[in-house]
Amino acid sequence: MRKKLLATCISVFLLASGVALSGCYFETPEQSSSSQSSQSSDSTPPESSSSSSSSSDSTPPEVENKDLEFELVGNSYKVVGVGGATKETGKVEIPAEYNGLPVTAIGERAFYNEYELGWIVIPDSVTVIEKEAFAHCPNLRTVEMGNGVTELGEKGFYNCSMLRNVTFSQALVNIGNSAFQDCRRLQAIEFPNTLERIGNNAFDYCEVMPSVKFGTGLKYIGVEAFKNCVKLTEVVIPDGAPTQIDSRAFAIENLNGNVQFRSSLKRIVLGNSVVSIGSEAFVGAAKVYTIEIGDSVTTIGSNAFANCRKLYYVALGSSVISIASNAFTKSDAIREVYNRSSKITVTAGTSGNGGVAINAYYVRKPGEPTRLSKDANGLVFYTDSTKKVLINGEFDERTNIVVPNDVDEIADKAFYNDTYVASLDVGTKCKVIGESAFHNCYTLEKVILREGMTQIKNQAFMNNHALVSVHIYSKSITVGTAAFKKKAGENESKAYGTIYFKGTAAEWETAKNKFGGSNEDFIGTEEKVADVAYYSETQPTGEGKYWHFVDNKATLWK
């Protein structure tokens, strides 16, 4: 960048001649450059004065923001450098005009790695923010973008690790690739209806951003645009312009194999503007409960909704013609599919159409009622003429689950990997707990299995190292393989505390025979690993542990 250099001579006294030279001005050969720079010893702009001395035509008059550097491009200026933002004030307000001409752009790397920049105010006159203009500004916290900006260049605010608040231009059309990537403290954002394109990785790893409001003009969401935005709770794309969601746009990476503990996404609504959903677009959204796909979507890519472990309801739009293989792989809790498309046939219990209905109880068509319901406690049920099944739960905090007495069973993987379940009290009518129903519920501490229980399927309570108190009130219960197996490891609690069995010691020995393999952590083999307390309504006189009910609570006899 060419600059005009101003040099002020130090006063020189020529003793021989007695002549003092003061404030001499030298122009360099670069004075004809279109690039201008204004400098000041104080970040506060000086007040204008009518007594200021005139200068030659090539010398710009004094202006505010003297520390900014400008370059003349045609009939407007571009900001190309900064100097005056200090760590104490940290704020830079870009002027709308310089030298009587509009400031219309912020140049490539103009504020790159500017450590002291904390707050930037961009006027309406600016239309373009170029590549890496504010990249790697580690203390930038606030961006006020004027309503003239239409283009935000690639990596415009890349790795601004402290950036929290951004006000977007109401004329913005394009957000470039990686524009806000690694802005890990960025808060909720709202896009204008003018925005058409969000580039690849634009908001990748904005990991505390809780919400995004999309506008109606959106046409493209790029590859990995919102990847690993792990605090994002919902994605709602409204009706509007035809929108393409590219591959891995909202993907959650499987970090250390524990993808389910990172995602906060619980709701996905893709309006009638969305036309295609790319491969792995929402992979790893392990806490999403429901997905509603609009009537313009024609294709759903491979693994688009894979590993959505808590997903129980999917609505397919009327234009869907193709669902790629494995689109819903490992999304094993889907129990109802609403198919509005006449172009595909979806059948409950079959693996076609990406596996969307492989575990579904019911596929309904337009005009047919849903069979799902949710109670005030967040418990979700499926009900038909033959049974009522607890299939899921929508929780925001640790919850003690009390299963209603009209529930017949708990579905397979109903609460798989659910870290909000603190305790479980099964209703009197419930007969079956499904396979892996409470697998990996690491915060589950207490389980009460009442008299109606007849079957606990394989791995139902597997890997629950916090589970120490189990109440078994049924004497005729079949327990599947590894139903109570705890995860091995020196940091895991493998031992159970007390098993409250509503029967005698002899009846317990018979009940143990109905436990499948790999339940040694619970029932023991050669050595005892849990204390079994037997039921007695009266004060026992023999050896061993006994319990009874006090105010409907199991209480050990002393």
Side-chain angles (χ1 to χ4, degrees):
M1 177 183 65
R2 296 181 303 169
K3 302 180 182 178
K4 169 171 289 187
L5 302 177
L6 296 178
T8 303
C9 298
I10 301 174
S11 297
V12 179
F13 294 86
L14 302 181
L15 297 177
S17 61
V19 179
L21 299 180
S22 176
C24 296
Y25 175 83
F26 294 87
E27 286 189 337
T28 73
E30 294 178 275
Q31 69 181 22
S32 61
S33 166
S34 61
S35 173
Q36 307 285 343
S37 175
S38 60
Q39 300 179 349
S40 171
S41 60
D42 191 340
S43 60
T44 304
E47 295 181 357
S48 60
S49 173
S50 58
S51 62
S52 59
S53 58
S54 61
S55 60
S56 64
D57 292 340
S58 62
T59 305
E62 290 188 352
V63 295
E64 293 186 345
N65 277 295
K66 284 190 171 185
D67 299 279
L68 296 176
E69 298 171 351
F70 298 86
E71 180 179 338
L72 182 62
V73 181
N75 294 321
S76 64
Y77 278 97
K78 173 167 65 176
V79 179
V80 294
V82 65
T86 67
K87 194 169 184 179
E88 287 74 27
T89 61
K91 184 175 181 179
V92 170
E93 296 187 45
I94 295 174
E97 290 187 356
Y98 179 77
N99 264 3
L101 295 175
V103 177
T104 59
I106 301 174
E108 182 174 335
R109 292 197 166 196
F111 295 80
Y112 185 88
N113 199 28
E114 184 59 42
Y115 181 83
E116 294 178 346
L117 181 63
W119 187 351
I120 186 72
V121 180
I122 301 169
D124 292 345
S125 62
V126 171
T127 60
V128 177
I129 300 173
E130 294 184 359
K131 179 180 179 180
E132 297 184 337
F134 296 92
H136 299 285
C137 291
N139 290 303
L140 180 61
R141 288 171 168 78
T142 300
V143 174
E144 296 181 21
M145 196 180 298
N147 286 328
V149 176
T150 60
E151 295 287 328
L152 173 55
E154 179 180 348
K155 295 188 175 181
F157 293 89
Y158 176 80
N159 194 30
C160 292
S161 57
M162 297 297 292
L163 181 60
R164 295 176 60 86
N165 303 304
V166 176
T167 303
F168 287 97
S169 163
Q170 292 303 300
L172 190 62
V173 175
N174 178 60
I175 296 176
N177 296 345
S178 301
F180 293 91
Q181 185 174 354
D182 284 339
C183 293
R184 299 196 175 204
R185 288 175 174 81
L186 188 62
Q187 299 299 302
I189 56 177
E190 181 174 346
F191 295 126
N193 290 331
T194 57
L195 183 65
E196 296 181 1
R197 184 184 187 279
I198 301 173
N200 300 342
N201 302 99
F203 294 88
D204 189 358
Y205 267 111
C206 294
E207 57 187 5
V208 302
M209 184 169 62
S211 65
V212 177
K213 185 175 181 180
F214 295 95
T216 57
L218 190 61
K219 296 180 179 179
Y220 177 73
I221 301 176
V223 176
E224 299 185 343
F226 294 89
K227 185 189 72 175
N228 287 331
C229 293
V230 296
K231 293 299 182 182
L232 197 61
T233 58
E234 68 174 18
V235 173
V236 179
I237 299 179
D239 295 347
T243 305
Q244 176 189 355
I245 301 176
D246 215 328
S247 60
R248 296 182 60 79
F250 295 90
I252 303 297
E253 284 188 345
N254 189 344
L255 301 180
N256 301 319
N258 290 328
V259 63
Q260 65 273 8
F261 298 117
R262 292 180 54 80
S263 174
S264 300
L265 189 60
K266 295 182 178 179
R267 180 170 173 254
I268 299 173
V269 179
L270 307 179
N272 292 327
S273 62
V274 178
V275 296
S276 64
I277 303 170
S279 61
E280 301 185 18
F282 293 89
V283 66
K287 293 182 180 178
V288 68
Y289 299 122
T290 64
I291 294 174
E292 298 176 35
I293 298 173
D295 287 332
S296 296
V297 171
T298 57
T299 59
I300 300 174
S302 62
N303 295 298
F305 298 98
N307 288 339
C308 296
R309 300 280 191 176
K310 294 290 290 180
L311 179 61
Y312 64 82
Y313 173 78
V314 176
L316 300 173
S318 61
S319 298
V320 174
I321 60 175
S322 174
I323 302 177
S325 62
N326 300 321
F328 292 87
T329 188
K330 296 185 179 179
S331 298
D332 302 318
I334 301 172
R335 301 303 176 190
E336 181 173 296
V337 178
Y338 180 25
N339 181 22
R340 300 196 300 271
S341 176
S342 61
K343 302 173 179 64
I344 58 173
T345 300
V346 182
T347 304
T350 61
S351 60
N353 298 299
V356 65
I358 192 170
N359 294 300
Y361 296 144
Y362 177 46
V363 175
R364 67 185 179 100
K365 298 177 181 179
E368 297 178 338
T370 182
R371 295 179 183 176
L372 302 182
S373 61
K374 183 171 68 172
D375 70 10
N377 299 313
L379 297 177
V380 182
F381 308 94
Y382 168 85
T383 306
D384 62 20
S385 59
T386 63
K387 61 187 176 183
K388 182 174 182 177
V389 184
L390 174 58
I391 65 167
N392 216 310
E394 297 187 15
F395 308 135
D396 293 317
E397 59 186 5
R398 290 197 68 192
T399 301
N400 298 310
I401 297 176
V402 178
V403 180
N405 288 330
D406 61 346
V407 171
D408 296 288
E409 62 183 81
I410 300 174
D412 294 350
K413 297 188 177 181
F415 297 90
Y416 183 92
N417 281 328
D418 197 315
T419 56
Y420 289 125
V421 180
S423 68
L424 171 68
D425 187 346
V426 176
T428 56
K429 188 181 177 184
C430 188
K431 298 179 176 62
V432 178
I433 296 179
E435 184 171 320
S436 294
F438 296 90
H439 192 160
N440 288 352
C441 292
Y442 294 129
T443 59
L444 178 61
E445 298 176 347
K446 180 180 178 180
V447 171
I448 299 176
L449 307 173
R450 297 193 178 273
E451 287 85 351
M453 183 64 55
T454 60
Q455 183 182 16
I456 299 174
K457 293 185 178 180
N458 297 345
Q459 302 178 352
F461 295 97
M462 186 174 176
N463 288 355
N464 295 334
H465 62 267
L467 180 56
V468 293
S469 179
V470 180
H471 299 236
I472 301 177
Y473 299 164
S474 172
K475 298 175 185 178
S476 56
I477 186 171
T478 301
V479 179
T481 300
F484 289 94
K485 180 179 176 60
K486 290 203 176 187
K487 186 176 181 180
E490 59 183 23
N491 294 323
E492 310 288 354
S493 171
K494 292 192 68 177
Y496 283 87
T498 300
I499 300 171
Y500 292 79
F501 180 66
K502 196 174 182 183
T504 64
E507 288 170 329
W508 173 247
E509 291 302 316
T510 300
K512 286 198 303 183
N513 293 330
K514 296 183 179 180
F515 278 67
S518 299
N519 283 299
E520 291 81 6
D521 300 333
F522 188 68
I523 60 176
T525 50
E526 289 83 9
E527 59 180 297
K528 187 177 181 181
V529 294
D531 289 325
V532 180
Y534 309 109
Y535 181 73
S536 178
E537 293 183 1
T538 59
Q539 177 77 50
T541 57
E543 295 182 355
K545 279 189 174 183
Y546 294 88
W547 66 277
H548 63 138
F549 287 110
V550 176
D551 296 330
N552 292 320
K553 293 183 180 180
T555 306
L556 291 172
W557 283 104
K558 296 182 179 179

